[in-house]
């Protein structure tokens, strides 16, 4: 699977109602570390069938960013059964993201 | 055996890779996180010759592509130690060990933490080490900056344009940073200097809500802020390599302009070396010098 770009209108369906755990990457286009992290998320999305990887652009979707109290990016929030289970802030290696799962 | 192993794919390490490849040496670059180093954090570089404006990400990507096109090999593994066996140096990572005739340590530096309880837990929930990266999240809010150097002063000034109120907390009564910047801060109505004070406690519910500072006499004061920007300097990433490096009191690798260390065949380049100016242009200059020294070492041995 690829990294799916999500907005406020389908967040509920794609993230909160997902049957599998979801990693949500809150990012911005001006954020260098976010760009560096993206290939890692793409790899996870490609390699693992048991997780979904979603991206949320915080400039377009500032309400989602506010709602989940994102105040530093990259911020990857893990959702399980419709609720936040964990989060990781900053540029981290793949191991650190997978350790949350 | 590789000719030259370079530890760290920041500006210094990648420049060293370019020079070493142009001299037809085999090159392996080991990087713990991602190529680019610290500079990827800045959206705009304005002081590197030729590029009047370039983002740190684009800068890093261009240097990376240049080094790759010249044939440098990159592996994303953290180097855990360097062992000197004379003609052969061994670099160990968690899964592998690599051997080389010469090693360049270009590991740069990391943000220094305050060392207050719950600090790590609150990163991204109110604690930040980069005002230009995270400042925008604090529009109209109350924030504090900790530190007394240029970074702290510039961060406070930057945040004064965004936040409702900025407290600048500093443990002394004078700043190490430039007087002009300090004066500019004093002229701002929404900036309050909290001097002779250190941060003792962080208070939070889901995220940071306030900090307790104490002055020299130990008198506590609670300051309500939703953001705390820590700018208390950087720590060089040398501690894993102290077997082959001499370190100064702050942990920087002792080496002069020629980037040689106490260990023949081991060189340092960039922000982790003892020097006055830590910028891109000095990091890339070190990369060139260290590579040239390493090439000479390989040729002679
Ligand atoms: C927010 C910000 C803005 C800046 N803006 C500017 C600017 O506008 N102009 C300017 O000239 N300078 C600027 N700088 C400074 C500049 O980024 C640094 O001087 C420069 O990046 C130093 O390069 P370096 O290669 O020595 O180290 P770094 O950039 O720190 O790179 C070191 C690399 O080594 C890696 N590493 C560390 N330990 C290991 C290990 N054990 N194994 C493998 N890899 C390891 C790190 O992950 C990193 O990628 C800025 C810095 C910051 C933080």
């Amino acid at each position: 699977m690829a990294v799916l770009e999500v907005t406020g209108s389908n967040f509920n369906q794609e993230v909160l109602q997902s049957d599998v755990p979801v990693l949500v990457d809150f990012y911005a286009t001006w954020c260098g570390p976010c760009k560096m992290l993206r290939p890692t998320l793409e790899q996870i999305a490609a390699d693992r069938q048991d997780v979904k990887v979603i991206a949320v652009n915080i400039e377009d979707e500032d309400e989602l960013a506010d709602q989940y109290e994102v105040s530093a990016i990259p911020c990857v929030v893990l959702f399980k059964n419709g609720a936040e289970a964990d989060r990781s802030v900053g540029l981290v290696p793949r191991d650190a993201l997978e350790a949350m799962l | 055996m590789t000719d030259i192993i370079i530890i760290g794919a920041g500006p210094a390490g990648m420049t060293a890779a370019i020079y070493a490849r142009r001299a037809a040496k085999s090159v392996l670059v080991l990087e713990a996180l991602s190529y680019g180093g610290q500079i990827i954090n800045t959206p705009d570089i304005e002081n590197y010759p030729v590029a009047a404006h370039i983002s740190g990400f684009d800068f890093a990507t261009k240097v990376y592509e240049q080094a790759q096109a010249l044939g440098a090999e990159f592996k994303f593994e953290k180097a855990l130690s360097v062992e000197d066996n004379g003609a052969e140096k061994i670099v160990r990572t968690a899964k592998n060990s690599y051997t080389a005739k010469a090693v360049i340590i270009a590991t740069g530096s990391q943000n220094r933490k305050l060392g207050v309880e719950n600090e790590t837990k609150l990163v991204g929930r109110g604690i930040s080490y980069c005002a230009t990266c995270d400042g925008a999240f604090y529009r109209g809010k109350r924030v504090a900056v900790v530190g007394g150097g240029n970074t702290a002063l510039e961060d406070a000034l930057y945040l004064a344009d965004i936040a409702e109120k900025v407290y600048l907390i500093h443990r002394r009564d004078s700043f190490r940073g430039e007087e002009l910047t300090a004066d500019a801060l004093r002229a701002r109505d929404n900036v309050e200097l909290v001097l002779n004070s250190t941060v003792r406690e962080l208070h939070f519910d889901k995220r940071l809500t306030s900090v307790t500072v104490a002055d020299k006499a130990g008198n506590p004061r609670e300051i309500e802020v939703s953001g705390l920007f820590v700018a208390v300097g950087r720590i060089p990433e040398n501690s894993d390599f102290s077997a082959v490096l001499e370190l100064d009191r702050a942990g920087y690798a002792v080496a002069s302009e020629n980037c040689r260390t106490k260990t023949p065949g081991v060189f340092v380049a960039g922000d982790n070396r003892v020097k006055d100016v830590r910028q891109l242009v000095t990091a890339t200059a070190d990369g060139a010098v260290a590579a040239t020294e390493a090439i000479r070492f390989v040729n002679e041995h």
Side-chain angles (χ1 to χ4, degrees):
Chain A
M1 267 194 294
V3 175
L4 180 71
E5 195 79 39
V6 155
T7 65
S9 62
N10 57 352
F11 190 83
N12 190 28
Q13 183 198 333
E14 294 292 347
V15 178
L16 302 182
Q17 292 177 17
S18 165
D19 306 333
V20 293
V22 191
L23 288 173
V24 181
D25 170 28
F26 288 92
Y27 77 99
T29 51
W30 48 260
C31 162
C34 301
K35 290 187 194 162
M36 287 293 178
L37 188 65
R38 185 52 72 84
T40 307
L41 290 161
E42 279 165 358
Q43 280 166 15
I44 295 176
D47 295 351
R48 296 188 56 153
Q49 307 308 314
D50 57 334
V51 218
K52 201 157 143 185
V53 186
I54 297 278
V56 172
N57 180 327
I58 59 149
E59 283 171 300
D60 300 340
E61 303 300 328
D62 50 340
E63 280 180 19
L64 281 178
D66 267 357
Q67 188 181 341
Y68 291 101
E69 301 190 305
V70 174
S71 64
I73 48 173
C75 176
V76 180
V77 181
L78 171 67
F79 286 87
K80 278 186 182 162
N81 305 317
E84 172 172 349
D86 207 345
R87 68 169 67 189
S88 155
V89 175
L91 181 60
V92 293
R94 176 171 175 166
D95 299 354
L97 290 178
E98 292 197 306
M100 294 200 297
L101 289 165
Chain B
M1 180 161 45
T2 309
D3 290 327
I4 303 173
I5 288 181
I6 298 167
I7 305 176
M14 292 198 292
T15 305
I18 291 171
Y19 273 75
R21 279 305 300 153
R22 288 188 37 83
K25 300 298 173 218
S26 57
V27 172
L28 170 63
V29 185
L30 296 173
E31 166 57 51
L33 223 46
S34 76
Y35 64 83
Q38 300 160 50
I39 199 62
I40 64 165
N41 289 300
T42 186
D44 193 16
I45 302 164
E46 293 184 65
N47 57 3
Y48 198 79
V50 175
H53 290 280
I54 183 169
S55 76
F57 177 82
D58 288 344
F59 180 92
T61 304
K62 283 188 178 197
V63 185
Y64 177 66
E65 286 169 356
Q66 189 176 351
Q68 257 198 336
L70 286 165
E73 186 187 359
F74 286 79
K75 286 200 166 146
F76 292 91
E77 295 177 51
K78 182 175 172 147
L80 301 176
S81 66
V82 176
E83 197 181 307
D84 175 35
N85 288 346
E88 185 186 81
K89 324 280 179 218
I90 305 166
V91 182
R92 286 184 218 285
T93 67
K95 293 196 182 116
N96 296 300
S97 65
Y98 301 97
T99 56
K101 296 174 188 163
V103 173
I104 298 173
I105 301 175
T107 44
S109 60
Q110 274 205 339
N111 295 311
R112 185 187 295 277
K113 298 233 147 72
L114 266 184
V116 185
E117 208 179 335
N118 295 312
E119 180 177 358
T120 309
K121 185 165 128 187
L122 291 168
V123 172
R125 292 182 163 102
I127 301 281
S128 169
Y129 301 88
C130 180
T132 50
C133 311
D134 301 330
F137 293 105
Y138 295 90
R139 191 162 299 282
K141 301 203 168 135
R142 302 162 78 82
V143 299
V145 175
V146 196
N150 271 328
T151 307
L153 298 180
E154 279 159 21
D155 283 359
L157 205 52
Y158 175 80
L159 290 165
D161 286 333
I162 297 172
E164 180 203 339
K165 167 115 192 181
V166 179
Y167 298 90
L168 177 57
I169 303 165
H170 180 40
R171 63 188 159 143
R172 304 217 168 80
D173 59 1
S174 61
F175 296 107
R176 262 177 302 116
E178 274 173 38
E179 224 15 72
L180 267 178
T181 322
D183 286 343
L185 272 179
R186 288 188 191 98
R188 292 297 184 99
D189 291 336
N190 66 338
V191 174
E192 181 180 332
L193 305 183
V194 183
L195 300 177
N196 292 316
S197 299
T198 51
V199 176
R200 296 296 174 82
E201 277 173 54
L202 308 173
H203 307 282
F204 54 96
D205 41 49
K206 268 170 82 186
R207 43 171 304 130
L208 185 72
T209 51
S210 68
V211 300
T212 299
V213 300
D215 64 14
K216 286 204 163 138
N219 300 313
R221 170 182 172 194
E222 189 171 338
I223 302 176
E224 251 176 64
V225 285
S226 52
L228 182 70
F229 291 85
V230 180
V232 293
R234 302 187 62 89
I235 307 184
E237 291 271 329
N238 291 327
S239 52
D240 291 339
F241 312 112
S242 55
V244 290
L245 300 177
E246 183 191 338
L247 305 182
D248 75 359
R249 272 181 51 208
Y252 289 99
V254 177
S256 69
E257 286 302 307
N258 62 24
C259 298
R260 289 185 203 167
T261 68
K262 70 170 189 188
T263 309
V266 175
F267 305 89
V268 287
D271 274 15
N272 60 329
R273 176 171 81 83
V274 170
K275 57 159 90 172
D276 289 334
V277 181
R278 291 196 172 83
Q279 286 282 289
L280 280 179
V281 72
T282 58
T284 53
D286 271 13
V289 174
T292 306
E293 289 283 333
I295 293 160
R296 182 178 301 147
F297 183 87
V298 170
N299 287 342
E300 286 172 0
H301 290 82

